[in-house]
Amino acid sequence: EVQLVESGGGLVQPGTSLRLSCAGSGFRLEGYGKFDDFGMQWVRQAPGKGLEWVSGISWNSGDIGYADSVKGRFTISRDNAENSVYLQMNSLRAEDTALYYCTKGRGSSWKNDAFDVWGQGTRVTVSS
Amino acid sequence: EILLTQSPGTLSLSPGERATLSCRASQSVRHSYVAWYQQRPGQTPRLLIYGASTRASGIPDRFSGSGSGTDFTLTISRLEPQDFAVYYCQQYVSSSGITFGPGTRVDIK
């Protein structure tokens, strides 16, 4: 079974930085494919609210996208050798407070694709 | 950006009843790039439907999706106890910004 495990969340002050990590496992089982066969995404959910797409990255990091709300502040990256994807979050604001999910696309791009595997999430709280 | 509205906000039904959830887009969603996700209380979202009507792996056939253009529907033919949850639609036409609807809560009546 493919699993995604996020880490790196915490309580931080406005204006500071945080780096989230997501480790994938269970790939290559039953012909599922390798980690680097798939695009990856970050989605967040503020307390008691709905889902908001944050950022996506293609299988080879050649194509990346961001929501307008985080563009210029957040940077997504991946290390296929480590089966991991990261989200560097700078200049954090109170409105960035949320549970951050790492998700996997069905194909190799982050574009035009639904998210078929989700991690349990890591909580980020931005408060003074 | 394509905005999604979902109706109703809350649906109160009994086990065994049929649930019909609506998702309307502010403009046409190309290629019917619409997905539906289920989120049970305290749990992570789960992909149910993609491409407006294709069930994801392992999803029971009581879940079905339909629609095109700006109007999409998720139907649960006979509600089971584990189906009481929040359902989100999503459009994933990346050139239009990936967006989710606000969700429909399906409650036990």
Side-chain angles (χ1 to χ4, degrees), chain A residues 86-127:
Chain A
Y86 307 98
L87 187 68
Q88 176 67 42
M89 304 187 296
N90 298 332
S91 303
L92 283 162
R93 306 167 180 168
E95 54 264 36
D96 296 319
T97 294
L99 186 63
Y100 284 72
Y101 293 106
C102 173
T103 74
K104 171 196 154 298
R106 297 177 51 253
S108 60
S109 173
W110 67 270
K111 292 179 175 178
N112 304 326
D113 200 6
F115 312 153
D116 65 350
V117 179
W118 294 62
Q120 291 299 310
T122 187
R123 190 163 299 280
V124 173
T125 303
V126 184
S127 174

Side-chain angles (χ1 to χ4, degrees), chain A residues 1-99:
Chain A
E1 180 189 3
V2 172
Q3 289 190 324
L4 301 171
V5 178
E6 303 92 337
S7 60
L11 171 61
V12 296
Q13 293 191 335
T16 61
S17 299
L18 207 56
R19 188 192 194 213
L20 306 184
S21 299
C22 168
S25 64
F27 292 84
R28 295 181 175 269
L29 298 179
E30 300 176 358
Y32 194 87
K34 303 174 296 176
F35 179 80
D36 58 4
D37 285 335
F38 302 103
M40 300 294 293
Q41 319 261 358
W42 288 95
V43 175
R44 67 186 181 183
Q45 187 169 34
K49 302 297 184 183
L51 302 169
E52 180 188 15
W53 175 75
V54 174
S55 181
I57 186 168
S58 65
W59 69 280
N60 64 351
S61 305
D63 194 10
I64 285 174
Y66 298 97
D68 287 344
S69 57
V70 306
K71 201 172 293 183
R73 300 187 298 123
F74 290 12
T75 303
I76 192 172
S77 61
R78 66 189 293 164
D79 183 342
N80 288 336
E82 297 293 328
N83 281 11
S84 293
V85 63
Y86 307 98
L87 187 68
Q88 176 67 42
M89 304 187 296
N90 298 332
S91 303
L92 283 162
R93 306 167 180 168
E95 54 264 36
D96 296 319
T97 294
L99 186 63

